[in-house]
Amino acid sequence: MKIEIDHKKLEDIMRTKGIDSLKQLAENCGINYDILCKAYQRKSFSKECLWLISEELGCTINDFVTANWDK
């Protein structure tokens, strides 16, 4: 099992919070945009990034991650 970011869930939460892009999310969270983009493509973020994103979005990490049982 591997824990992955669920892009749809993350994007839905971002939209409800008025965040339109990964660039805006990176700026709001204080995360380097290039690092955020690479992590987003891999569907795998560091614990620190997950924490910063959840704090910015006002939700828990569980709200935008999913378990991939195939890996």
Side-chain angles (χ1 to χ4, degrees):
M1 176 186 78
K2 183 176 179 183
I3 301 298
E4 295 181 343
I5 299 301
D6 184 318
H7 288 167
K8 180 167 177 10
K9 288 180 181 179
L10 179 59
E11 290 167 3
D12 288 345
I13 296 168
M14 286 170 55
R15 262 189 245 106
T16 63
K17 301 295 181 175
I19 299 173
D20 300 321
S21 66
L22 284 180
K23 185 172 184 166
Q24 185 179 359
L25 179 63
E27 289 172 1
N28 291 1
C29 294
I31 301 170
N32 179 286
Y33 176 66
D34 292 331
I35 291 171
L36 184 65
C37 283
K38 288 177 186 173
Y40 188 81
Q41 291 169 352
R42 286 190 320 265
K43 292 186 173 183
S44 177
F45 290 86
S46 70
K47 292 176 206 154
E48 293 81 8
C49 281
L50 290 172
W51 182 79
L52 289 169
I53 291 168
S54 69
E55 286 288 307
E56 176 60 31
L57 297 177
C59 64
T60 69
I61 293 168
N62 290 339
D63 291 336
F64 57 90
V65 298
T66 188
N68 183 338
W69 292 95
D70 296 332
K71 293 184 179 183

